[in-house]
Amino acid sequence: MNSILIDIKQRNNDWTIGCDNKQFQEINQKLFDKFSNLFQCKTVPKIILAESNNWRLLAAFSAAVSADCSVFLGNPNWTPEEWQYVVSLVQPDLIWGDLSRSICQESLVKNKGQGIINKEPTMGVTKLGVCSQRLIRDGTKVPTTNPTTNPTTNPGIMIPTGGSSGKIRFAMHTWDTLMASVRGFYQYFDQKPVNSFCVLPVYHVSGLMQFLRSLTTGGQLVILPFKEVVAGKGREIDPRDFFISLVPTQLQRLLRANAANWLSQFHTVLLGGAPAYESLLTEARQQGIRLAPTYGMTETASQVVTLKPDAFLAGNNSCGQVLPHAHVTIRSTTGEFLGTNQIGIVTIAAESLALGYYSSGDKEDKQDGELTKNHVLERSEGSIRAGFEETLSSTTGANFQTSPLQTNNGASLHFPHHESPIPNSHATPDKIPTLQSDDLGFFDEQGYLTIVGRHSHKIISGGENIFPAEVEAAILATQLVRDVCVIGIPHNYWGQAVTAVYVPRASDISVDVLKAALVNQLSRFKQPKYWVPVEQLPRNEQGKVNYESVKTTALEFVPRD
């Protein structure tokens, strides 16, 4: 995979704004040489990258991928317990990054003083922690895997995802799956160089893809911590030709920080990671912000559906239309294709789809119901489970036509085509996998996708189906709460009781006031039976709610019926 090194060497010095490109290239080359030396046996080295500095992380990432190592992106801010789990799961050959604040050696080894994390200065840039031996689940150091007992012969790119449960998992990608996503984005937005203004962590798919789009399409890249952007840093950069990616909570915070005029100058403001409520979209539209709501996930290497800014400004609140590298259908719970405006399960086929979730392959991991193979699979193999029921399965070649837009029983479909200079993947139509997501949605007559909620979050109360997103939108529209999450909790009579866990906008807002505000906004059976006030909701950096934590809070607060 030396092509990524070539791309970096061929770029002009001005493509990395805020970072010296010459130094970036030097770090990249030296790390490539170091990582290449890890090949002392036939197994593919496993490297966890956990740099706190985004530029150093990207230099290490591109070096490790070029050296054909299996790369695991890590969050330097994981807790020691989370790192314990990750290291035990991955059993890495190397941990690259300064983890002194996150990992103490006593938490990873039985015998103190054995020294798992060693400090060494590197290139005068940073001190890097090195783990040169694998760890088994109980924390004991063991030698690197013997190639005759546990071969790992296919390098992969493992991207962490916490999902709605908060449990860390790694979606298994390859260079091909990531490039398929880049190619689809490039084609969808008129095949022009993609300039990215990145405020999201690059160890997450949303930040990583911004780097890859800029690198491989000839665009520029700006990386700034979001807190600094809120404080006003980076405003001197002309944003007119740049894409910026935000999650809804970030958009809301920037609007409150009087950054609307600045945001309105961007070529496109991509919005994803979590559902955006209607009043936020309305405010962005009123401010003239060229918003592009998106639909995608770590498993799809970011977006597979995006609304173009002109359609948003014209009043469209959907997720948009399907990108060229994917096709999306709406299906019933038994797999039948549904027609226009029929709500069903969003099912995705794409060359950018992950191969599964990484697993150590031991008995405990297999019992989790996740992918049980610990190596990168062929595109036509394997199974994947997440949320309601996600499956990887081969599709028939007959389902893929040459036309970029087809209709199947009223559902809008896009099919992959290869017209851009972005490297094509080696996947063939009969090997493109399908993922049945946990999301419920529908296509309208123009092929725009609207997501109505999660199948696993649907509440059935008194025999009625209730989608939390609708209830949350109505509550937020009252302007009486700052944030809200609606869930169903067990109820002896109703089966499930609609429960709102919310952050009140002011301390004197009572439940009676909230109830009164919803009387004419929601049907009676959709109105919350219980209201649970909290100081803040447990959201991750991408704005996603940890539903397990919310349910625990609600069950502790609500009286047992």
Side-chain angles (χ1 to χ4, degrees), residues 63 97 125 150 295 395 460 520:
V125 178
N150 186 22
Y295 172 73
T395 58
I460 303 177
N520 297 320

Side-chain angles (χ1 to χ4, degrees), residues 466-486:
I466 301 166
F467 297 109
E470 179 188 2
V471 182
E472 291 166 356
I475 295 172
L476 288 165
T478 67
Q479 298 293 314
L480 297 173
V481 305
R482 297 183 185 277
D483 202 359
V484 64
C485 177
V486 172

Side-chain angles (χ1 to χ4, degrees), residues 427-537:
T428 55
D430 64 334
K431 289 188 176 182
I432 295 177
T434 298
L435 179 142
Q436 185 170 295
S437 76
D438 187 39
D439 297 302
L440 296 171
F442 65 90
F443 280 106
D444 65 15
E445 293 83 355
Q446 288 75 43
Y448 288 96
L449 175 68
T450 296
I451 300 296
V452 300
R454 302 291 296 272
H455 187 282
S456 58
H457 296 163
K458 182 177 68 174
I459 301 169
I460 303 177
S461 183
E464 298 281 1
N465 291 333
I466 301 166
F467 297 109
E470 179 188 2
V471 182
E472 291 166 356
I475 295 172
L476 288 165
T478 67
Q479 298 293 314
L480 297 173
V481 305
R482 297 183 185 277
D483 202 359
V484 64
C485 177
V486 172
I487 60 173
I489 62 173
H491 191 277
N492 290 335
Y493 181 77
W494 298 107
Q496 286 182 297
V498 180
T499 303
V501 181
Y502 68 101
V503 181
R505 191 169 289 276
S507 58
D508 59 348
I509 294 176
S510 67
V511 172
D512 289 338
V513 171
L514 287 165
K515 288 181 176 180
L518 293 178
V519 168
N520 297 320
Q521 305 303 316
L522 288 171
S523 299
R524 186 172 181 179
F525 69 87
K526 296 179 181 179
Q527 297 176 21
K529 179 176 177 61
Y530 299 117
W531 295 82
V532 181
V534 294
E535 292 184 0
Q536 66 178 18
L537 291 177

Side-chain angles (χ1 to χ4, degrees), residues 5 21 179 226 233 494:
L5 289 183
N21 184 51
M179 284 301 99
F226 180 69
K233 190 171 181 179
W494 298 107

